[in-house]
Amino acid sequence: MASIDDESGSSSKKTVGKRGVTRLQKIHKAKSNGKRIEVQWNSRGQPIKHNSKTFASFIGVTVRRLVPISLDNWSAKKNKEAVGVYKQNIWEEIEKAFIIGEEHRAFVYREAGKLHRAFRTKMARSYLKDSKGGFVKHRPAKYSFCIKQDDWDKFVAQHMTAKFQKVSDENRERALNPQHPYRKSRLGCARLEADMVEESEVGEINRSQVWKAARVNKSGVIDNENVQRVVDQCEKLTEALSEEERQDLGPTNILFEALNLPNYSGRVRTYGFGVCSRDILPRQNRPTQMDFEKLYGFCNSLKSRLEVLEREKIERDKLDREKLERQQTEEVEERQQPKQVSERLQQPEKVAQRQHLEQVVERKQPEKVAESRLPSDKGSCNPGSFGNIPEGLFPVNIYLSSPSRCLVARGKLYNTKGNTVHGMTLPPGYVKVNIEVAIVPNAPLPISVEDGDVSMVGQAIGTIVPWPTKLLEFVAECEKIPGQSQNKGNNIQHSVEYSVSSPNKSNKKFKIEESPRVGGSAGIANLPFLDMYVKKMMRVGSLIQIKMEESIFGEEFLEQLRVESIKEILDHNWLSASIITVFSRYLYDKFISPNGLINKFSFISPHVSREDNLGNGIAKILLKDEEFKDKMILAPCNLGKHWVLLVINLNAEVIYYMDPLNGEPTKHQNFKTKFENALQIYRANSSSKVPKVSKSKKISWQKIKCPRQINGVDCGYFVMRFMKEVIMENEFMIPTNYFFDHKCRTYSHDKLTEVKEDWATYVVDDVFGKQEAIILPN
């Protein structure tokens, strides 16, 4: 297009001014007016989508203005106090301009450190030296508003040192020719992945796809041979693995193998800035002294058990030989002198000897212990389970024999019928002992309990453990067994299994066994049928109303299950709250109610946990029923396109946190505070007998190392699987390393399909089949 000067016969070029300093005046103006901008975050705590680039730019502008350019180390201990002041000032400025939670403070600090280093690099590259290679002594006029002359002098002095020059030359040489150049400028891997997920019909993006997309040119073509070689190797490795193996290995490892580069500690690829290895990979904690002591105790218990088995074997062999020799002698004597043998056996001395031999063969009773101090029959109950020791409770001193006999604890012998402790049958020569006082806390137990978690005397205070009878010393008379006077005339006494997690409560443990087809038609796959039903019988926009009872969620409401929500589970997409709610109803109808566990488990609706910002609604539900304090409460929660499961034990004031992405609850501070407020309100207003604790006591959060998802859509299916397994295990606590029978790195495709089939079967058989729902047209 010609200019005005061209028309008049003269020619001139239109000059384009250089880009000025970024100041983001619009954001400062909005901040002055009290308006704040909202930022979206992904499940790993990285800003994505709208306003994320503006957010990063504002952090950079704030850093230039508040942090001196002479600061050369963002995390050095010598600058800890000064850097702490800079960080706090930056955070306060960010809070005034953007809506941001406390859980993102760490990301802001890391981003600020990165941008500060980038600004120093830019100043060194563009303004530090003149055209002749000499150092410029005056600060750049363009940045005089944020760089003081004193700070510039220090900055120049730092770059003039020989040490800095050497490091700078090495870094420059390494960065000149990258093998796999990144081509997406400021977009970043996190924002790139979010855009790819939105555009993808599958809804699942692996790491190698993100790595490839970050290295194509503007036309979407790979123009680098090294990049093409890595992409081809990733495809080759993926095709060589089955679907099950891909899930176990993880696509990130496939990318690492294809790159064939050294792996640096803490480095992860294609996740973007702000994510490190501990956020993605399982943590490998170093063994502590307590772990070594547990192992030592476990080895000692195995050694003791082997010694007992060896002695029993020797004794059995000896008895077998004696019995065989006796039988052979009797046969010979009967053949030679049958009448004389018969007469001798009738003599009292021989009768006594025969009875003694029979007792030796059949005896299974423990050795006599402190016979001189054996309690009298006075005050005893019915004959007990162990020889001539009467049934009841006996105060005892508890000893260990290795390396020498020593007193390690005091407690009570539980001489009751039933030979089971912690799911284990008592070995011969062992009795049930309740440890009350630990004299040598680090002394090993003869046999560890709770799968080896309790292996020392100090850990077993208040619980029942097996102990050799020969290492007990009676110190008082028999006590009555609690509750025995109520069962006079009844010779049946139930065997109770004691749990170290609740020493003051005797809970009978049992697992719920899942039938081959719980809640559905046996042998029929209902997912295809449900898919056909939705396509043929339900129009777009129609919905199903399902009544949710108060006994399930603490309040009665109608769940609206839309056709679009059903298609989510059919197409294996991200799940909405209505799917999770219906699955909770399935667990109640098929597991909790039939097994008599309505006083053991309950649910909090994901709608309540999502809409209640302060915790008042959650507390209101908990206060409705006093029996909530004795229940395990399952609360599936949506953190914003990501599902996690909370399991709340009100009695213990513990919240078990189960995140398929292995995230920390502290990353979602508002969410964490909401549930803590709810439990604090419940504690203050509950009229039931809750544990007497200080009002200032913090609610305990325990993160569970549960199976982890390897994509961006499986979180809802994992949470449903967690809920099912928690109920099937039927425990009042969840082990930190998760339940042994269900522990794995990630769930296979078949296990997730099983959960989907459970949901579909319940909807087909119990909702449609029994007319539980009302189908409304659009």
Side-chain angles (χ1 to χ4, degrees), residues 398-415:
I398 304 170
Y399 290 84
L400 279 179
S401 59
S402 178
S404 61
R405 185 179 177 89
C406 64
L407 180 66
V408 295
R410 292 189 176 92
K412 289 182 180 178
L413 163 64
Y414 273 65
N415 190 25

Side-chain angles (χ1 to χ4, degrees), residues 363-638:
R363 74 172 182 260
K364 290 292 181 180
Q365 60 188 13
E367 302 177 27
K368 294 184 179 180
V369 180
E371 187 173 355
S372 60
R373 302 193 64 179
L374 187 67
S376 65
D377 292 338
K378 181 180 179 181
S380 65
C381 310
N382 294 331
S385 304
F386 300 97
N388 58 352
I389 304 176
E391 185 177 8
L393 309 181
F394 297 92
V396 291
N397 289 334
I398 304 170
Y399 290 84
L400 279 179
S401 59
S402 178
S404 61
R405 185 179 177 89
C406 64
L407 180 66
V408 295
R410 292 189 176 92
K412 289 182 180 178
L413 163 64
Y414 273 65
N415 190 25
T416 59
K417 292 183 179 179
N419 61 345
T420 302
V421 176
H422 298 278
M424 174 185 66
T425 303
L426 286 172
Y430 280 72
V431 292
K432 295 177 286 188
V433 173
N434 180 21
I435 296 178
E436 297 176 343
V437 179
I439 298 174
V440 185
N442 291 333
L445 297 177
I447 299 177
S448 299
V449 295
E450 293 290 321
D451 295 329
D453 290 339
V454 179
S455 59
M456 292 182 290
V457 171
Q459 298 173 330
I461 295 176
T463 191
I464 305 296
V465 297
W467 207 277
T469 313
K470 65 181 181 180
L471 297 178
L472 301 178
E473 180 184 31
F474 295 93
V475 295
E477 295 292 334
C478 170
E479 299 178 6
K480 289 185 178 180
I481 302 174
Q484 191 180 38
S485 59
Q486 300 174 4
N487 297 324
K488 290 183 178 181
N490 187 356
N491 294 326
I492 299 177
Q493 184 164 353
H494 297 285
S495 174
V496 179
E497 181 178 338
Y498 294 87
S499 170
V500 72
S501 62
S502 54
N504 297 324
K505 185 184 291 186
S506 57
N507 294 322
K508 188 175 181 182
K509 295 183 179 180
F510 62 92
K511 289 186 179 181
I512 301 173
E513 298 296 337
E514 183 180 12
S515 62
R517 180 72 269 158
V518 178
S521 304
I524 298 178
N526 284 286
L527 277 171
F529 174 80
L530 184 60
D531 188 16
M532 180 194 68
Y533 185 89
V534 170
K535 291 178 180 178
K536 300 292 185 183
M537 305 296 293
M538 301 181 69
R539 288 182 290 178
V540 176
S542 60
L543 58 87
I544 305 170
Q545 289 187 344
I546 306 174
K547 181 180 179 182
M548 297 296 168
E549 300 173 357
E550 184 176 353
S551 58
I552 306 175
F553 294 101
E555 61 179 0
E556 185 178 306
F557 62 93
L558 285 177
E559 181 60 49
Q560 296 185 348
L561 184 62
R562 299 185 178 277
V563 175
E564 293 76 13
S565 299
I566 299 177
K567 289 182 178 179
E568 293 170 356
I569 199 167
L570 294 174
D571 298 336
H572 198 87
N573 291 329
W574 191 87
L575 299 180
S576 57
S578 57
I579 299 293
I580 308 292
T581 304
V582 173
F583 191 77
S584 303
R585 172 69 185 269
Y586 154 74
L587 293 175
Y588 182 86
D589 288 351
K590 301 304 175 184
F591 288 89
I592 296 175
S593 182
N595 289 282
L597 300 177
I598 56 176
N599 294 324
K600 177 73 175 288
F601 293 102
S602 188
F603 298 89
I604 291 179
S605 168
H607 300 296
V608 175
S609 62
R610 178 69 174 171
E611 298 168 1
D612 184 12
N613 294 324
L614 301 177
N616 295 323
I618 300 172
K620 182 179 178 181
I621 292 176
L622 299 179
L623 290 168
K624 274 189 176 182
D625 190 351
E626 291 186 0
E627 293 182 356
F628 263 116
K629 72 180 182 64
D630 296 321
K631 292 183 178 182
M632 293 286 279
I633 303 168
L634 280 68
C637 300
N638 179 9

Side-chain angles (χ1 to χ4, degrees), residues 55-87:
F55 177 67
S57 298
F58 186 78
I59 295 176
V61 171
T62 306
V63 168
R64 287 204 308 263
R65 187 165 51 87
L66 298 180
V67 182
I69 194 174
S70 58
L71 181 67
D72 60 345
N73 197 325
W74 185 252
S75 58
K77 292 183 179 179
K78 63 180 181 180
N79 298 328
K80 186 174 181 180
E81 294 184 3
V83 173
V85 174
Y86 297 143
K87 289 180 178 179

